[in-house]
Amino acid sequence: MLKKYLSILAVFALFMMIAPLIALFRDSSGDKQKTENKGERVTVRDHKTGESFELYLKDYIKGVVAANIPAVYEPETLKAQAAASYTYAVRHINSDTALSTDPAEHQAYIPDNELKSIYGENYSEYKKRISEATDAVFGEILLYQNEPIAAAYFAFSNGKTESAANVWGQDIPYLIPADSPHDINAPNYQITVSISAEEVLARLTESDSELVMPVYKTDWFKIAERSDSGYVTKVAVGNKTMTGIQIRTMFDLKSTDFEIVSEDDQFLFTTKGSGHAVGLSQHGANEMAKEGKTYTEILKHYYTGIEISSQ
């Protein structure tokens, strides 16, 4: 059962890379015409083919939920994800930003025909779980000062979520640190990856041609600063200073809570958590749901000071 659970998580971990939320932070305004109970029809660009397709907003949200969170999670967790995904999408639509299936731009999305191959014999059950959760909260939007929020979410934290200011350089009052203690028990909470010193040097010098590294490899990296939540914000690298996000991106690390150790001709990067750590922790939300918390309680825990309204 554990292997099956871990394999499901692994599929969805592919979609949980850090996403630049530039368009997400634009001001949103305007109303859209509703069609029946599925919402408006929206246009989505398939980043793999470059072609666009249309579908009802509710069906789009179901594909987003399926792409971004394991269907085996608790119903209240799936509802929280659906409400966050809906809010995320509406914010883009209201700011006239085209939707895309590229998780590096917007939200990952999986069409129904691909879900059949991913879910296999569990397709009917998992599809039903996602559909019921989305149907239950469709039209409920997360607001801060009467505006749809930038509803960021990620896999799991180091035990505490991070401030948006430390990740995207912008203070956002509802995206501030929140305790998420259950995350430390998530599968693969702490992992170590090994990268050769030669490869490390190649990636570093490619990023900055003026970088000068010390003779001894043990002096190549020094963590200079961490945020209040424990994530690395500054790293001394040779004669330069880099951000934790730069290091995470450069070496494809799971999070910015990391340690770096030189061992023989290798560097060991040990991380805690998975994702950018801002907003809703999906694993933390699921553990809260197991304890009996509702989706509204979960959302208000991770998004500070928000209101939930039905459109």
Side-chain angles (χ1 to χ4, degrees):
M1 183 63 183
L2 179 58
K3 290 183 178 179
K4 178 180 178 182
Y5 180 72
L6 291 176
S7 66
I8 293 170
L9 288 180
V11 171
F12 293 96
L14 296 174
F15 297 103
M16 295 309 299
M17 302 299 291
I18 191 168
L21 300 179
I22 297 174
L24 189 58
F25 296 139
R26 296 179 182 174
D27 289 337
S28 56
S29 62
D31 296 320
K32 300 294 182 178
Q33 183 66 37
K34 299 290 182 179
T35 304
E36 299 178 350
N37 65 341
K38 286 193 171 185
E40 63 186 288
R41 289 187 69 81
V42 295
T43 300
V44 182
R45 182 180 63 83
D46 187 330
H47 74 288
K48 296 178 181 178
T49 65
E51 298 179 353
S52 295
F53 59 94
E54 282 193 0
L55 74 170
Y56 285 113
L57 180 55
K58 181 186 280 189
D59 293 332
Y60 167 71
I61 297 302
K62 290 179 180 180
V64 169
V65 174
N68 286 283
I69 195 168
V72 295
Y73 273 10
E74 296 293 313
E76 293 301 301
T77 313
L78 298 179
K79 290 178 188 177
Q81 179 67 55
S85 295
Y86 175 77
T87 302
Y88 193 122
V90 168
R91 188 179 174 95
H92 278 294
I93 294 168
N94 287 355
S95 61
D96 293 323
T97 305
L99 299 175
S100 168
T101 63
D102 187 351
E105 296 179 6
H106 298 286
Q107 301 184 95
Y109 166 87
I110 300 179
D112 195 63
N113 61 325
E114 291 185 24
L115 280 180
K116 291 180 180 179
S117 62
I118 292 172
Y119 288 158
E121 63 183 16
N122 296 312
Y123 169 77
S124 295
E125 175 192 350
Y126 291 174
K127 178 70 174 180
K128 180 180 179 182
R129 290 173 63 83
I130 290 171
S131 293
E132 288 180 346
T134 303
D135 290 344
V137 301
F138 185 72
E140 294 190 24
I141 192 164
L142 316 182
L143 302 174
Y144 186 83
Q145 295 183 348
N146 295 319
E147 289 291 328
I149 72 168
Y153 51 86
F154 63 98
F156 52 90
S157 71
N158 64 0
K160 192 168 187 175
T161 67
E162 181 61 295
S163 167
N166 291 328
V167 177
W168 297 303
Q170 182 175 352
D171 283 311
I172 302 175
Y174 51 82
L175 294 179
I176 61 176
D179 291 331
S180 194
H182 295 299
D183 286 349
I184 65 174
N185 297 316
N188 298 316
Y189 163 73
Q190 178 173 304
I191 64 170
T192 299
V193 295
S194 176
I195 304 175
S196 71
E198 181 181 11
E199 177 64 20
V200 167
L201 183 60
R203 297 190 194 185
L204 288 170
T205 53
E206 182 181 1
S207 71
D208 190 336
S209 60
E210 297 181 354
L211 190 64
V212 178
M213 302 303 290
V215 174
Y216 297 106
K217 296 181 182 65
T218 52
D219 297 328
W220 282 16
F221 296 97
K222 181 180 179 181
I223 295 175
E225 182 182 275
R226 290 181 181 270
S227 69
D228 291 342
S229 295
Y231 298 94
V232 176
T233 53
K234 293 182 181 179
V235 185
V237 184
N239 63 327
K240 298 293 182 74
T241 297
M242 296 185 179
T243 67
I245 294 171
Q246 287 176 305
I247 296 297
R248 182 194 174 201
T249 302
M250 193 179 305
F251 298 107
D252 300 318
L253 305 180
K254 288 290 187 181
S255 82
T256 55
D257 183 351
F258 55 77
E259 298 284 353
I260 308 173
V261 175
S262 172
E263 186 174 286
D264 298 326
D265 203 32
Q266 303 284 320
F267 278 91
L268 305 180
F269 295 82
T270 300
T271 58
K272 295 178 181 178
S274 180
H276 50 62
V278 179
L280 175 73
S281 165
Q282 294 167 321
H283 178 86
N286 199 48
E287 293 304 310
M288 289 180 67
K290 289 179 180 178
E291 293 177 340
K293 297 293 191 295
T294 66
Y295 74 94
T296 57
E297 292 174 312
I298 292 168
L299 291 168
K300 290 184 176 182
H301 174 76
Y302 285 107
Y303 303 120
T304 303
I306 67 162
E307 298 295 331
I308 303 175
S309 176
S310 296
Q311 290 191 327

